[in-house]
Amino acid sequence: ALTVSRPVLEHFTSAVQHLAKEERISICRTAIDLVQDRLLAFEDSVKKLREILSGCLIENEEYSAAARVLSHINMENGKYDDSEKAAFYVKLAELFLDDDETVAADVYLNRSAQVVHNCTDE
């Protein structure tokens, strides 16, 4: 079933990007909820859905909501290098700061600080 499900979800994720913003928001939320129990099997597609949803929320100036959506992406699964992790955590901090959520922003700045020393000049 996974050999069929993964490509279908990948295609679905690509198609969602071409919908109107409000439709993308609704569909991404529903799709994320539906596959949440099988997250490990669909991790890459769920990451992309979260990025699409977050982008829509940023367009709506819902910055902390966008950050919360992205915060569910597992950056500690071995797929990402320290530069990617640092950039991701800084992005989350910036989004939280845009809504004056300094405590949440501080959490992600601290996570970034834990990996930034391993980053090369980029």
Side-chain angles (χ1 to χ4, degrees), residues 71-85:
S71 72
H72 291 283
I73 295 172
N74 180 7
M75 296 300 288
E76 304 301 326
N77 60 9
K79 292 184 178 182
Y80 306 100
D81 64 29
D82 287 338
S83 295
E84 292 169 310
K85 290 178 191 178

Side-chain angles (χ1 to χ4, degrees), residues 89-90 93-94 97 102 104-114:
Y89 294 139
V90 167
E94 289 174 339
L97 285 174
T102 57
D106 193 49
V107 168
Y108 290 99
L109 283 176
N110 287 334
R111 286 190 188 178
S112 177
Q114 293 173 3

Side-chain angles (χ1 to χ4, degrees), residues 88-106:
F88 180 79
Y89 294 139
V90 167
K91 179 178 181 172
L92 289 178
E94 289 174 339
L95 289 170
F96 279 121
L97 285 174
D98 284 339
D99 275 347
D100 294 323
E101 291 195 26
T102 57
V103 174
D106 193 49

